[in-house]
Amino acid sequence: VAMETASLEQQIQSVQRHIAFLKKEQTELLHDLHLEILRLQKHCAELTHDLEMKELEAQQQEALERELEQRCRAMEARLQERERDNAELRRELRHKEALVAALRGSLRGKERAFLEELKRRGHRAARL
């Protein structure tokens, strides 16, 4: 009976050592898992931040592109307006050039008539 008691006590001590070893291993494993969870949470927070920054940059880029597109459309509208104004000014210039040409022709005709009249008067004066 004493031997069985000693054997049982040895088995109990062995089981207690195994339990202590398993508790220690479990504690270390839980600690390592906790550290890994913290690392993953930090990594997730960094990735979330990066994603938010990229989304913000994308939104800013889209806003900039919309603004540039609006400015481009406004500039195109101004260009078309100026092209219309230039076309109108060209038409007016051609019309005025035609008037100037007509006035020059008329002036030349009057100048010739005046010179002829002057010659006639000069001849009359010479005859008188």
Side-chain angles (χ1 to χ4, degrees), residues 91-107:
R91 281 190 294 276
E92 287 180 24
L93 180 62
R94 283 192 296 270
H95 177 70
K96 288 182 180 182
E97 286 174 344
L99 288 176
V100 166
L103 287 173
R104 280 185 182 154
S106 172
L107 183 61

Side-chain angles (χ1 to χ4, degrees), residues 114-128:
F114 175 74
L115 288 174
E116 287 177 18
E117 180 65 27
L118 190 60
K119 280 181 188 177
R120 269 188 269 133
R121 286 186 184 181
H123 289 298
R124 263 194 221 164
R127 278 187 270 171
L128 289 175

Side-chain angles (χ1 to χ4, degrees), residues 36-50:
E36 181 66 14
I37 289 170
L38 291 176
R39 187 190 70 76
L40 289 172
Q41 285 175 335
K42 181 180 176 187
H43 186 63
C44 183
E46 290 170 353
L47 290 175
T48 301
H49 179 264
D50 290 347

Side-chain angles (χ1 to χ4, degrees), residues 57-75:
E57 288 173 5
Q59 290 171 354
Q60 290 172 340
Q61 184 67 27
E62 287 173 7
L64 180 61
E65 287 174 2
R66 282 192 302 271
E67 180 184 345
L68 289 175
E69 193 173 311
Q70 289 172 349
R71 290 169 79 187
C72 188
R73 281 194 294 268
M75 293 297 277

